[in-house]
Amino acid sequence: MKLLFTCGGTAGHINPAIALARLFQSRHQDCQVLFAGADNGMERTLVPHEGYELRTVHVNTIHRAWKWKDIKHNVMTVLTLPQARRQARAILDEFRPDLVVGTGGYASYPVVKEAARRGIPTAVHESNAVPGLTTKALSKVVDVVMVGFEESRSHYDTPEKVVVTGTPVRGDFFRYTRKETREKLGFADDKPLVLSVWGSLGAEVMNRQMAQCIAQECRDGAPFRHIHGAGRDYHAVVEELRDSGVEKFPEIDVREYIYDMPLVMAAADLVLCRAGASTIAELTAIARPAVLVPSPNVVADHQTKNARVLANAGGAVLLPEGESSGEKLYSLMTKLLGDGAGGRP
């Protein structure tokens, strides 16, 4: 059996595909897996890091604004489509998959569409409550549309194709106890651990707030441990902390990217993050309390809809970005950890 997964752009698109690939390989010893992604996406790092081969196509994003620079960008995106189609055909010709699954990101479009044209079984998975452009477009040509939420069904023109599956979570998230994770992370004490990450690429507004929040933690003597994934804003966060007088604090670990997310999230007593559907699925699967600050810059405000599902179930605090600040985040961290978020077995 040969499976081709195509995804990219963010970890929220990539990680569900990795989870599916591992599940298939655990149940079918002869299963061969190949990934296809964009030649400029973070999948170029994440997929090989997980031990899978990646082939790439040249695709650009679509801007939803109407300024001249956005129109020019979109024209260039359209002009690159013939190249992407040729690259997609070459990948399919060489690998000859039995099944092609797209899990989001613009790179999915030319690969899945060409596979469907050839009559290869195809499927797409949409984690979010509201489908993105790629999933919505491909839903018309694939055999099956898999979604994370029952509420998503109404957004598709072919609801008979839609199957509610939830969002796959990698098995690594269930591998360790809290005690084991803390030992692996080298923690000698039992201070609560806060994990903060604002998407796989980071978010400038929230990273500025986290720099202020972490500085306040240090002024208060670092009452808890804190691992922060800053993404592309890493150097700016480190510089702002240095300007605030934070140089070396053993409880504070600021990283550019958190490659061992299953380990760190399993160790965390509280998570501060966006509300992408993959993140919601991971938090729910391992029952971690969270403060969710949905990104306001997404299609149909779907992160707020994602976050509301978890907040309404009592698993998270929903904090709109416009109401968030470094001071507010620190206050919530202190309150929630003081109310017993920590101390798990």
Side-chain angles (χ1 to χ4, degrees), residues 129 131 136 147 149-159 162:
K136 191 70 183 290
V147 297
F149 299 97
E150 177 63 42
E151 294 84 350
S152 303
R153 193 186 297 273
S154 62
H155 292 284
Y156 294 93
D157 298 328
T158 53
V162 178

Short mmCIF file of all heavy atoms in Angstrom, two decimals, residues 129 131 136 147 149-159 162:
data_model
loop_
_atom_site.label_atom_id
_atom_site.label_comp_id
_atom_site.label_asym_id
_atom_site.label_seq_id
_atom_site.Cartn_x
_atom_site.Cartn_y
_atom_site.Cartn_z
N ALA A 129 -13.52 24.37 12.33
CA ALA A 129 -14.98 24.39 12.23
C ALA A 129 -15.44 24.98 10.91
O ALA A 129 -16.50 24.62 10.39
CB ALA A 129 -15.55 25.19 13.40
N PRO A 131 -14.24 25.60 6.89
CA PRO A 131 -13.22 25.13 5.95
C PRO A 131 -12.41 26.26 5.34
O PRO A 131 -12.91 27.37 5.12
CB PRO A 131 -14.04 24.40 4.87
CG PRO A 131 -15.39 25.01 4.95
CD PRO A 131 -15.60 25.35 6.39
N LYS A 136 -12.31 23.63 0.81
CA LYS A 136 -13.61 23.92 0.18
C LYS A 136 -13.55 23.65 -1.32
O LYS A 136 -14.48 23.05 -1.90
CB LYS A 136 -13.98 25.39 0.44
CG LYS A 136 -15.41 25.76 0.07
CD LYS A 136 -16.41 25.12 1.02
CE LYS A 136 -17.85 25.41 0.61
NZ LYS A 136 -18.20 26.83 0.84
N VAL A 147 -14.00 15.80 8.59
CA VAL A 147 -14.03 17.06 9.33
C VAL A 147 -13.89 16.79 10.83
O VAL A 147 -14.18 15.70 11.32
CB VAL A 147 -15.33 17.85 9.06
CG1 VAL A 147 -15.42 18.26 7.60
CG2 VAL A 147 -16.56 17.06 9.48
N PHE A 149 -15.43 18.71 13.28
CA PHE A 149 -16.60 19.11 14.05
C PHE A 149 -17.88 18.80 13.28
O PHE A 149 -17.95 19.02 12.06
CB PHE A 149 -16.57 20.62 14.34
CG PHE A 149 -15.39 21.07 15.15
CD1 PHE A 149 -14.28 21.60 14.52
CD2 PHE A 149 -15.39 20.99 16.53
CE1 PHE A 149 -13.19 22.04 15.25
CE2 PHE A 149 -14.31 21.42 17.27
CZ PHE A 149 -13.20 21.95 16.64
N GLU A 150 -18.90 18.35 13.97
CA GLU A 150 -20.20 18.10 13.35
C GLU A 150 -20.74 19.38 12.71
O GLU A 150 -21.39 19.35 11.65
CB GLU A 150 -21.18 17.58 14.40
CG GLU A 150 -22.60 17.35 13.88
CD GLU A 150 -22.68 16.29 12.79
OE1 GLU A 150 -22.01 15.24 12.93
OE2 GLU A 150 -23.41 16.52 11.79
N GLU A 151 -20.47 20.53 13.37
CA GLU A 151 -20.97 21.81 12.86
C GLU A 151 -20.41 22.15 11.48
O GLU A 151 -20.95 23.02 10.79
CB GLU A 151 -20.61 22.93 13.85
CG GLU A 151 -21.30 22.83 15.21
CD GLU A 151 -20.57 21.91 16.18
OE1 GLU A 151 -19.64 21.19 15.76
OE2 GLU A 151 -20.93 21.91 17.37
N SER A 152 -19.31 21.49 11.08
CA SER A 152 -18.67 21.81 9.81
C SER A 152 -19.47 21.33 8.60
O SER A 152 -19.33 21.86 7.50
CB SER A 152 -17.28 21.17 9.75
OG SER A 152 -16.49 21.58 10.83
N ARG A 153 -20.31 20.33 8.80
CA ARG A 153 -20.99 19.68 7.67
C ARG A 153 -21.75 20.68 6.80
O ARG A 153 -21.78 20.58 5.57
CB ARG A 153 -21.96 18.62 8.21
CG ARG A 153 -22.48 17.67 7.14
CD ARG A 153 -23.54 16.74 7.73
NE ARG A 153 -23.00 15.90 8.78
CZ ARG A 153 -22.42 14.72 8.55
NH1 ARG A 153 -22.29 14.29 7.31
NH2 ARG A 153 -21.97 14.00 9.55
N SER A 154 -22.36 21.66 7.42
CA SER A 154 -23.22 22.60 6.69
C SER A 154 -22.44 23.52 5.75
O SER A 154 -23.03 24.20 4.91
CB SER A 154 -24.02 23.45 7.68
OG SER A 154 -23.14 24.22 8.49
N HIS A 155 -21.12 23.56 5.87
CA HIS A 155 -20.32 24.46 5.05
C HIS A 155 -19.98 23.88 3.68
O HIS A 155 -19.32 24.54 2.87
CB HIS A 155 -19.02 24.82 5.77
CG HIS A 155 -19.23 25.67 6.99
ND1 HIS A 155 -19.51 27.01 6.93
CD2 HIS A 155 -19.20 25.35 8.31
CE1 HIS A 155 -19.65 27.49 8.16
NE2 HIS A 155 -19.46 26.50 9.02
N TYR A 156 -20.39 22.64 3.41
CA TYR A 156 -20.01 21.98 2.16
C TYR A 156 -21.22 21.80 1.25
O TYR A 156 -22.34 21.56 1.71
CB TYR A 156 -19.36 20.63 2.46
CG TYR A 156 -18.04 20.76 3.20
CD1 TYR A 156 -18.01 20.73 4.59
CD2 TYR A 156 -16.86 20.97 2.51
CE1 TYR A 156 -16.81 20.87 5.28
CE2 TYR A 156 -15.66 21.11 3.18
CZ TYR A 156 -15.64 21.06 4.57
OH TYR A 156 -14.46 21.22 5.25
N ASP A 157 -20.97 21.91 -0.06
CA ASP A 157 -22.03 21.76 -1.04
C ASP A 157 -22.41 20.30 -1.25
O ASP A 157 -23.45 20.01 -1.85
CB ASP A 157 -21.59 22.36 -2.39
CG ASP A 157 -21.30 23.84 -2.28
OD1 ASP A 157 -21.96 24.51 -1.46
OD2 ASP A 157 -20.41 24.33 -3.01
N THR A 158 -21.55 19.39 -0.80
CA THR A 158 -21.80 17.95 -0.97
C THR A 158 -21.77 17.28 0.40
O THR A 158 -20.86 16.51 0.71
CB THR A 158 -20.74 17.32 -1.89
OG1 THR A 158 -19.43 17.66 -1.39
CG2 THR A 158 -20.88 17.84 -3.31
N PRO A 159 -22.77 17.54 1.27
CA PRO A 159 -22.74 17.01 2.64
C PRO A 159 -22.74 15.49 2.70
O PRO A 159 -22.31 14.92 3.70
CB PRO A 159 -24.02 17.59 3.27
CG PRO A 159 -24.89 17.98 2.12
CD PRO A 159 -23.96 18.36 1.01
N VAL A 162 -19.34 14.12 3.49
CA VAL A 162 -18.70 14.54 4.73
C VAL A 162 -18.82 13.48 5.81
O VAL A 162 -19.92 12.96 6.08
CB VAL A 162 -19.31 15.87 5.22
CG1 VAL A 162 -18.68 16.29 6.54
CG2 VAL A 162 -19.12 16.97 4.18
#
